[in-house]
Amino acid sequence: MARGAVGAAGGDTIDRSGMTTIAVDSVDAVRDRVRDAADRRAALRVIGGGTWLDAGRPVVATESLSTRELTGITEYVPGDLTLTARAGTTLEEIRLATASHGQWFALDPHGSDTGTLGATIATASAGPLSTSFGGPRDLMLGVEFVTGEGTVVRGGGRVVKNVAGFDLTRLVTGSWGSLGVITEATVRLHARPDADESVAVHLSSDADVARIRELLRRLPFTPYAFEIVNADLAQRLVAVDGVAAIVRLGGNRLAVDAQRAAFATLGRFNEINPDVWQRLRASDGVGSMVFRLSTRPSE
């Protein structure tokens, strides 16, 4: 729901800008609402949890369609490491459901686990774990969505080895609702590691940054997560003075010990509380601008 929404007749809401928000709890309801809007040639703004409404391309619409009530895990097969859930299901619900089986959905988009699966896929949001596990496109196995004409479309499947419709699944991921309303998705899970530790490496100069980049290029393993943070954030997150690299190491006990030894060659480093990653995800304030800058490693 948009911030500042107030009640309206029929279970819908109206925010202070006059936009009506319609919450739906089934695929049929999504289809009917989309068809109605298409018949009236009315633009719809698609909303998940409503926590990131100022992101992406501006939407000119007087009505919003929210999937926040389209919730629930519809299928979970621990033996196959796959899970299917409706779009309004939160990342927290998925985390709790998989934890008892020693598994996790290795995706940590910035914000918090109150974000919904559908919105995470639609925006292709990812966080530090993408260093090792990839982003939403790498973890998506199948998707169900309603097109702008009100047609229910399914792509991909519910097993890891299935490839039917895979390109369609990747296309919808990151489409920001422009291709349709995501109603359900199947994702790939991973087994939780025996050991999961985090360390902070102190970087006192540009030369230190160059050394750690060189180390990463020649290491025989990939850290679960790796982030270089500025002095202000390093002080707030890990109480380190100056620029720091925070690294998440995972695997069996012997592997993690070997990884720690590799980073110890860089000089000063210390073990840190693993909740640093959750706090890093929530470190961007409301209204902050987030952008991605990419270039070739050689540059």
Side-chain angles (χ1 to χ4, degrees), residues 75-299:
E75 184 177 26
Y76 176 27
V77 186
D80 290 342
L81 289 169
T82 61
L83 179 145
T84 302
R86 298 187 179 96
T89 307
T90 65
L91 300 180
E92 173 75 1
E93 292 175 75
I94 295 174
R95 184 184 66 79
L96 293 175
T98 57
S100 60
H101 294 276
Q103 298 176 354
W104 62 334
F105 181 38
L107 192 65
D108 56 347
H110 288 276
S112 73
D113 282 345
T114 60
T116 64
L117 178 63
T120 300
I121 296 167
T123 58
S125 298
L129 282 174
S130 60
T131 298
S132 180
F133 297 97
R137 286 188 177 90
D138 303 294
L139 298 175
M140 288 287 295
L141 298 175
V143 68
E144 174 190 84
F145 64 99
V146 178
T147 70
E149 296 178 343
T151 302
V152 180
V153 176
R154 294 178 179 86
R158 297 192 176 195
V159 294
V160 173
K161 292 185 179 180
N162 181 66
V163 294
F166 191 65
D167 287 345
L168 179 61
T169 302
R170 295 171 73 92
L171 180 66
V172 172
T173 305
S175 63
W176 287 85
S178 61
L179 301 179
V181 183
I182 296 173
T183 53
E184 187 178 80
T186 298
V187 298
R188 179 199 309 266
L189 305 175
H190 287 82
R192 282 195 173 275
D194 294 332
D196 187 346
E197 299 180 1
S198 297
V199 299
V201 181
H202 303 237
L203 305 175
S204 58
S205 66
D206 290 344
D208 286 343
V209 176
R211 287 174 59 209
I212 201 168
R213 289 179 60 191
E214 175 58 31
L215 176 65
L216 288 171
R217 280 197 290 266
R218 59 184 171 81
L219 285 176
F221 63 87
T222 301
Y224 272 16
F226 179 92
E227 297 287 326
I228 294 179
V229 295
N230 62 25
D232 176 66
L233 200 52
Q235 181 58 237
R236 286 192 284 131
L237 291 177
V238 293
V240 169
D241 292 327
V243 177
I246 53 177
V247 191
R248 186 170 181 176
L249 310 173
N252 60 49
R253 182 72 265 168
L254 290 176
V256 170
D257 288 344
Q259 292 171 35
R260 285 171 59 92
F263 281 99
T265 63
L266 294 171
R268 290 191 303 154
F269 87 104
N270 56 282
E271 190 167 338
I272 55 178
N273 193 314
D275 72 359
V276 65
W277 301 103
Q278 188 65 31
R279 290 185 288 119
L280 177 63
R281 292 171 62 191
S283 62
D284 292 319
V286 175
S288 297
M289 181 179 71
V290 180
F291 66 95
R292 178 177 296 149
L293 177 63
S294 302
T295 187
R296 292 182 301 219
S298 62
E299 297 177 347

Side-chain angles (χ1 to χ4, degrees), residues 17-96:
S17 67
M19 180 176 288
T20 301
T21 299
I22 306 159
V24 290
D25 59 4
S26 70
V27 177
D28 290 343
V30 174
R31 179 197 61 205
D32 293 344
R33 289 290 193 174
V34 170
R35 286 180 179 176
D36 173 67
D39 291 341
R40 295 184 288 109
R41 301 186 67 80
L44 281 176
R45 183 182 196 182
V46 184
I47 295 176
T51 59
W52 201 19
L53 298 182
D54 57 350
R57 185 177 302 169
V59 177
V60 180
T62 58
E63 299 177 11
S64 293
L65 182 65
S66 172
T67 60
R68 68 178 184 272
E69 295 182 6
L70 186 62
T71 62
I73 295 172
T74 58
E75 184 177 26
Y76 176 27
V77 186
D80 290 342
L81 289 169
T82 61
L83 179 145
T84 302
R86 298 187 179 96
T89 307
T90 65
L91 300 180
E92 173 75 1
E93 292 175 75
I94 295 174
R95 184 184 66 79
L96 293 175

